Amino acid sequence: MRRHGGGLVNPLLQRALLAAEHAGEFLLHQRPQSLAVESKSTATDAVTEMDRASEALLVAELVGDGDDGVLGEEGGERRGTSGVRWVLDPLDGTVNYLYRLPVWGVSVAAEQHGEVVAAVVRAPALGVTWFAGRGEGAWRVDGDAPARQVHVGTETDLARSLIATGFGYDANDRIRQVDRLGSIIGVVRDVRRAGAAAIDLCWVADGTVDGYFEEGTHHWDRAAAGLIIVEAGGVICGADGGPPTDPMTVAGNTSLAESLATLVSR
Ligand code: IPD
């Protein structure tokens, strides 16, 4: 272990930090003028050559010819034998990236025997990196400043809470999600839809927003940010208060996450 801006950095975390930095710099500086865009699950679910190239870069750097497993958003799934699996969202916020909006990032989580032990979310256009090692706290780096330890916010009253959320890519899902939003927006301070689930979750971890809920995220969206939230003293859960699920993910401090989970379950 070595120290990083005051936080202990385990070896998997060191590898994750470096790989996320390389993928992030690649996405920031090598973006072609015009991007080749394809559709995935629906016409609005975009994937670009940069999503794929970023995943290839991460897999090559983190796994190479080694024995680690990998689960990547763009199809990279490989069973390993080492007990370590890398869970990757090579470009979270693809639509923002496409439109040159700055809220996009690279998410890298290292699981050891099924448990996330190291996590990095890097948002190059914002100049921010969040990272955590299990038991080592959650940290945020702004530009060249030293890492500072972060904690979830303390607001427990939904009426005074700013809540981040997102929508899926399927039109029918979105209509249902907006219906649900209708019963939430009048109860909370306000809602933000920034466009990258991993960054929304990291904003919960560092207290930028108070809470988060979203239907239809995937393990790669929340694996890294989930550990960052837990290490920041927060909770990430499903509608029933158990582990987060694809159908529903909720996050916040303990009390707010519980209130939010109850609210989204109605
Ligand atoms: C999406 C973004 C978005 C969220 C969607 C995700 P992608 O990830 O995180 O904010 O609302 O649920 O799928 O497709 O940009 O990697």
Side-chain angles (χ1 to χ4, degrees), residues 40-162:
K40 287 198 293 186
S41 58
T42 70
T44 49
D45 184 4
V47 59
T48 69
E49 72 225 64
M50 296 302 276
D51 294 71
R52 295 205 172 103
S54 175
E55 183 161 309
L57 185 155
L58 289 169
V59 172
E61 180 161 339
L62 291 165
V63 186
D65 296 328
D67 301 330
D68 293 351
V70 65
L71 172 69
E73 176 173 12
E74 304 315 333
E77 182 155 18
R78 170 157 129 197
R79 276 177 188 282
T81 51
S82 67
V84 171
R85 180 173 78 154
W86 296 96
V87 182
L88 311 171
D89 190 338
L91 175 43
D92 183 37
T94 300
V95 175
N96 281 345
Y97 186 76
L98 201 55
Y99 283 77
R100 298 186 189 277
L101 290 164
V103 185
W104 55 267
V106 177
S107 174
V108 177
E111 291 175 340
Q112 211 157 22
H113 306 297
E115 178 184 67
V116 178
V117 295
V120 178
V121 174
R122 186 176 175 97
L126 300 177
V128 181
T129 302
W130 298 264
F131 67 90
R134 190 163 288 277
E136 297 177 45
W139 301 80
R140 170 176 168 148
V141 182
D142 289 75
D144 295 330
R148 64 182 172 88
Q149 192 162 10
V150 295
H151 304 280
V152 289
T154 53
E155 184 56 67
T156 54
D157 182 356
L158 278 174
R160 287 197 301 254
S161 296
L162 185 62

Side-chain angles (χ1 to χ4, degrees), residues 226-252:
L227 177 64
I228 293 169
I229 287 195
V230 169
E231 287 294 323
V235 167
I236 179 167
C237 60
D240 62 358
T245 62
D246 289 5
M248 180 56 77
T249 297
V250 171

Side-chain angles (χ1 to χ4, degrees), residues 40 45-46 51 73-74 89 91-95 165-169 193-198 200 212 214-218 220-221:
K40 287 198 293 186
D45 184 4
D51 294 71
E73 176 173 12
E74 304 315 333
D89 190 338
L91 175 43
D92 183 37
T94 300
V95 175
T165 192
F167 304 117
Y169 290 115
R193 195 290 193 252
D200 289 334
Y212 165 89
E214 184 167 351
E215 287 178 59
T217 60
H218 299 283
W220 48 76
D221 292 312

